[in-house]
Amino acid sequence: MPALALLDTPVDAFSVDCSGVFIPPSPNSSVDWSPSLSSSLYRIDGWGAPYFTTNPSGNISVRPHGSNTMPHQHIDLMKVVKKATDPRSSGGLALHLPLIVRFPDVLKNRLDSLQSAFELAIRTQGYESRYQGVYPVKCNQDRFIIEDIVEFGSSFRFGLEAGSKPEILLAMSCLCKGDRDAFLVCNGFKDAEYVSLALLGRKLELNTVIVLEQEEELDLVIDLSKKMNVRPVIGLRAKLRTKHSGHFGSTSGEKGKFGLTTVQIIRVVRKLRDVCMLDCLQLLHFHIGSQIPSTALLSDGVSEAAQLYCELVRLGARMEVIDIGGGLGIDYDGSKSGETDLSVAYSLEEYAAAVVASVRFVCDQKSVKHPVICSESGRAIVSHHSVLIFEAVSAGKQHETTPSDLQFLLEGYSEEARGDYESLYGAAMRGDGESCLLYVDQLKQRCVEEFKEGSLSIEQLAGVDGLCEWVTKEIGASDPVLTYNVNLSVFTSIPDFWGIDQLFPIVPIHRLDQRPVARGILSDLTCDSDGKIDKFIGGESSLPLHELDSNGCSGGRYYLGMFLGGAYEEALGGVHNLFGGPSVVRVLQKDGPHGFAVTRAMMGQSSADVLRAMQHEPELMFQTLKHRAEELSSVLKAGGDKGNDKLVVASCLARSFNNMPYLSVGTSTNALTAAINNIAIYYRDEAAVGDGGGCGKNGEWFYSVD
């Protein structure tokens, strides 16, 4: 039987139908490529506007002031990465990836845009009150983000929302520097300590509002307010009948997790009236669900809530505020369709107009004074201002079958395997690609079973695998998708992808003036089969990517960015496989040669940090390693051996305490060899930290030659 590899008729003359599968053209394609084509390919103009765009250099540019950004104010994201990662000797900050880049200018623009949208709606519709929003700190509790929001929003009394005791503590502290009229909305389940903190806020002249999530919380509020001699401001959260059908709609409706039913609302009103505190009830809160897809659904929910608000006024409550909760969505996929949880079919202006119109219409019908409109729009405020930068460190290449792989000798195979081979050969001669695939699968399965039984050697199995792989490639049926290994933990940095299938735009931040010639999925560093990204916006199961090239731009390094991830991801991220949080830089737009200034930089969590978070004691672990190294050194020296290798091992292990757990890309691949000429034992600067242990002045591990 002639070898299939020696057929005169090329097997690729017949092709399996691969319609719908994008296979990029070869790098030698004569078709020009440009950043604008990349912008269309990755939908940057859809999800990125008005903050992200491509520049003529083929890099992602940030427009920190949104549509008001002047051309000279654009910030080249690659320049920021270079500044952050270059060594200090070159003027860089020597930070390691992954890296979160925060743009406070974008954050300020989001706040200003939200405020302006409501002010426009109020002015054009003749609404006789104001908008006064709050930021729900659960979206991202980072200190500097919250301090920025309080500062940026102070001129229009922008406040905070808290849902736990630690959150109310940080909100109270931050709002001491804000406007006195800014709301501190206290949501979430409450005990006596939580309620006491909220009442203490009023003693500190903070505008705290205790929102009842459960009917039982009212007794705590009444009792503690009397004991502390504080007149509280009370709100209640209503369970509306309006809800949307997406994933985020599960928190709304009659069976939602939070809020009071109409029966419970009536009982609350009666009890407050009985204790002469009905005037304390001033706010109605509701939440339809995050990522409200359309203004039609929004208007329906707001109208229902406005009816409840007017009824509370009729019952004698001194109502002043309607809090529409969260739900202001962002367009993750750039489609503006509102058809999935990834998209919304409205702008900020359309959202604000729908809210104002719905409240005004109902209140005018009932002859009720227009209330202050409050919203808790966290996702829409912080998502855009944060970009996660990570690196592809390697890519699984499609195997090139060699002649030795195709050595398929019929001797030693079973009669059944020989029959499968003959069927495959016959299908190839007929040009029947579909049958070829069938017989390839049949031959492989049979030989695998024979290998498991011990009747085939590994060489024979490899011969079959090589043959089948070659046939599959020749008929055009091989999988064109590569696996790009990225220096990242999905569970730490993109937990919502793993937990709820939330998709975020992921794009190369450079080389956008070059045609991407491959498609790939992303595999992270964790030892977990779920640690991969194989779903992308636009319904894609792979991402157009460039080949990794050791001689390309940026020294061959290939950087990717995850965008619109500023809400929830950092707060929800864990330490699976003990991969800690990324490095962080805070970047402001500045006029000058570089166009930006890094105002804050922080290295990501070290191995010692994540070990400590899991109740380990890095100091004790280090001392154990140090003691073992010293013991071995003494024994080997007594035998006439310098014991260098043992000390080098101890030295390298100790150094790792201070490093981030991620791969050190671009450095020597053999740290042990590199350390041979620097034999040392690491130690903590005990004199600097006292008896309690810990690190030296800069939080680093030191070492000295023994």
Side-chain angles (χ1 to χ4, degrees):
M1 182 71 65
L4 198 61
L6 301 179
L7 281 174
D8 293 331
T9 304
V11 182
D12 60 0
F14 50 90
S15 292
V16 175
D17 181 15
C18 294
S19 60
V21 178
F22 170 77
I23 303 177
S26 69
N28 297 324
S29 172
S30 59
V31 180
D32 292 334
W33 196 257
S34 67
S36 62
L37 290 175
S38 286
S39 186
S40 298
L41 179 65
Y42 295 109
R43 303 183 176 209
I44 297 172
D45 292 336
W47 56 260
Y51 301 107
F52 304 104
T53 186
T54 55
N55 63 33
S57 299
N59 302 334
I60 293 285
S61 276
V62 180
R63 305 173 74 216
H65 311 298
S67 55
N68 296 322
T69 306
M70 303 295 289
H72 71 277
Q73 294 175 323
H74 287 215
I75 299 173
D76 190 317
L77 198 49
M78 272 300 293
K79 291 183 179 179
V80 175
V81 172
K82 177 175 172 56
K83 174 67 177 178
T85 59
D86 273 358
R88 291 189 177 92
S89 59
S90 301
L93 299 171
L95 297 179
H96 295 165
L97 297 182
L99 172 73
I100 290 175
V101 185
R102 302 198 202 283
F103 295 96
D105 294 313
V106 173
L107 185 61
K108 184 178 188 304
N109 185 266
R110 292 300 293 173
L111 276 172
D112 291 343
S113 298
L114 178 61
Q115 185 70 26
S116 297
F118 271 98
E119 288 178 353
L120 175 64
I122 286 169
R123 184 172 63 254
T124 57
Q125 297 185 36
Y127 192 81
E128 296 175 356
S129 189
R130 67 180 187 276
Y131 168 75
Q132 189 176 327
V134 296
Y135 167 69
V137 298
K138 68 180 180 182
C139 290
N140 195 322
Q141 299 101 335
D142 180 84
R143 168 192 167 187
F144 302 105
I145 292 176
I146 295 172
E147 288 180 353
D148 281 342
I149 288 172
V150 171
E151 177 187 348
F152 298 154
S154 180
S155 62
F156 37 84
R157 294 172 285 200
F158 207 87
L160 299 173
E161 180 269 348
S164 67
K165 286 178 276 190
E167 287 185 352
I168 195 174
L169 286 169
L170 73 86
M172 289 168 63
S173 174
C174 289
L175 284 174
C176 286
K177 300 177 182 178
D179 188 279
R180 288 198 172 193
D181 291 330
F183 293 131
L184 171 47
V185 177
C186 303
N187 289 330
F189 294 111
K190 302 169 187 68
D191 60 8
E193 184 181 4
Y194 188 123
V195 173
S196 297
L197 284 172
L199 294 171
L200 180 61
R202 296 208 68 82
K203 280 184 173 288
L204 297 174
E205 298 187 352
L206 297 172
N207 194 6
T208 58
V209 183
I210 302 173
V211 178
L212 305 178
E213 304 274 6
Q214 296 178 297
E215 187 179 356
E216 297 78 13
E217 294 170 356
L218 180 58
D219 293 329
L220 275 177
V221 174
I222 293 172
D223 181 52
L224 289 169
S225 63
K226 291 179 178 178
K227 289 180 179 178
M228 297 177 65
N229 194 29
V230 177
R231 196 71 175 170
V233 174
I234 299 173
L236 60 84
R237 178 168 178 168
K239 283 186 178 179
L240 300 187
R241 315 302 169 93
T242 305
K243 63 175 293 183
H244 71 78
S245 58
H247 167 81
F248 297 108
S250 60
T251 56
S252 62
E254 290 184 274
K255 296 183 179 180
K257 179 179 177 181
F258 301 105
L260 308 181
T261 64
T262 53
V263 173
Q264 292 173 315
I265 290 172
I266 293 299
R267 287 203 294 257
V268 165
V269 169
R270 288 173 179 168
K271 182 172 287 190
L272 286 171
R273 183 184 291 120
D274 291 343
V275 296
C276 300
M277 292 179 65
L278 188 54
D279 62 307
C280 296
L281 180 57
Q282 298 179 20
L283 180 145
L284 175 68
H285 172 46
F286 67 94
H287 180 64
I288 300 173
S290 296
Q291 284 288 106
I292 296 173
S294 67
T295 54
L297 178 62
L298 173 68
S299 297
D300 192 24
V302 173
S303 296
E304 180 186 352
Q307 294 287 355
L308 278 175
Y309 179 92
C310 292
E311 286 299 294
L312 290 170
V313 171
R314 183 182 64 81
L315 293 171
R318 204 187 84 187
M319 300 299 292
E320 294 184 5
V321 183
I322 184 167
D323 180 353
I324 66 174
L328 173 55
I330 61 173
D331 206 41
Y332 288 103
D333 66 6
S335 68
K336 297 180 172 58
S337 65
E339 296 175 355
T340 69
D341 289 332
L342 296 176
S343 180
V344 294
Y346 52 80
S347 64
L348 279 178
E349 291 75 17
E350 290 167 336
Y351 174 89
V355 170
V356 172
S358 299
V359 176
R360 182 182 63 82
F361 179 79
V362 173
C363 289
D364 287 350
Q365 268 192 332
K366 301 281 186 171
S367 299
V368 170
K369 181 182 176 181
H370 295 171
V372 173
I373 297 175
C374 177
S375 74
E376 303 175 5
S377 305
R379 184 188 303 268
I381 290 173
V382 298
S383 291
H384 297 77
H385 96 289
S386 180
V387 182
L388 173 69
I389 307 296
F390 55 98
E391 186 173 4
V393 295
S394 63
K397 297 181 179 179
Q398 293 179 340
H399 178 66
E400 294 293 333
T401 305
T402 64
S404 61
D405 295 328
L406 292 175
Q407 291 178 359
F408 184 80
L409 304 177
L410 297 180
E411 292 78 8
Y413 290 86
S414 66
E415 287 293 328
E416 292 82 1
R418 288 168 179 258
D420 291 336
Y421 175 81
E422 290 173 0
S423 298
L424 173 59
Y425 179 82
M429 293 298 294
R430 295 191 305 272
D432 185 353
E434 187 174 345
S435 295
C436 272
L437 285 179
L438 175 66
Y439 293 128
V440 158
D441 186 58
Q442 192 169 302
L443 177 61
K444 288 184 70 172
Q445 287 188 26
R446 190 182 308 281
C447 290
V448 167
E449 289 301 319
E450 292 179 2
F451 178 76
K452 290 178 180 179
E453 294 167 358
S455 58
L456 276 189
S457 68
I458 188 172
E459 292 90 347
Q460 289 173 310
L461 183 61
V464 170
D465 286 340
L467 173 70
C468 293
E469 183 177 334
W470 178 81
V471 171
T472 303
K473 180 180 178 182
E474 288 300 309
I475 64 176
S478 59
D479 185 1
V481 177
L482 306 181
T483 297
Y484 282 66
N485 301 303
V486 293
N487 199 8
L488 183 76
S489 165
V490 168
F491 306 94
T492 299
S493 294
I494 321 178
D496 270 343
F497 175 83
W498 171 72
I500 61 172
D501 289 328
Q502 173 71 48
L503 304 185
F504 299 91
I506 296 177
V507 180
I509 65 169
H510 61 142
R511 297 179 63 180
L512 298 175
D513 55 345
Q514 304 172 29
R515 178 191 297 275
V517 296
R519 290 194 74 94
I521 63 171
L522 308 179
S523 177
D524 77 356
L525 295 180
T526 64
C527 300
D528 195 306
S529 57
D530 286 337
K532 62 182 179 181
I533 302 174
D534 54 4
K535 299 174 186 175
F536 302 89
I537 63 170
E540 299 291 337
S541 58
S542 60
L543 188 69
L545 295 168
H546 303 84
E547 288 184 331
L548 302 187
D549 187 345
S550 60
N551 298 315
C553 68
S554 306
R557 303 179 73 168
Y558 191 49
Y559 299 103
L560 301 170
M562 186 203 79
F563 296 80
L564 310 186
Y568 296 109
E569 301 314 292
E570 293 173 62
L572 294 175
V575 289
H576 186 31
N577 264 173
L578 297 186
F579 286 106
S583 302
V584 179
V585 291
R586 184 176 185 268
V587 177
L588 284 174
Q589 184 269 319
K590 294 287 185 182
D591 292 336
H594 300 294
F596 67 90
V598 176
T599 61
R600 186 171 300 277
M602 184 178 69
M603 183 72 83
Q605 288 178 298
S606 67
S607 294
D609 293 331
V610 291
L611 287 166
R612 195 176 292 110
M614 300 303 293
Q615 309 304 314
H616 295 280
E617 299 182 42
E619 294 82 6
L620 181 60
M621 297 165 69
F622 168 75
Q623 292 297 334
T624 300
L625 291 170
K626 176 184 175 184
H627 181 66
R628 169 62 65 90
E630 289 172 343
E631 280 185 336
L632 292 172
S633 177
S634 299
V635 170
L636 292 170
K637 283 181 179 178
D641 192 326
K642 291 183 179 181
N644 286 2
D645 289 345
K646 302 296 183 180
L647 288 174
V648 169
V649 169
S651 175
C652 289
L653 288 171
R655 178 182 289 126
S656 293
F657 278 108
N658 195 49
N659 290 340
M660 288 177 66
Y662 297 91
L663 300 182
S664 298
V665 181
T667 60
S668 171
T669 57
N670 193 335
L672 189 61
T673 302
I676 286 178
N677 295 323
N678 189 23
I679 299 169
I681 297 295
Y682 284 67
Y683 69 94
R684 283 293 210 180
D685 187 353
E686 304 293 350
V689 299
D691 295 335
C695 61
K697 296 178 183 178
N698 299 320
E700 296 182 351
W701 297 76
F702 302 93
Y703 66 95
S704 64
V705 177
D706 188 15

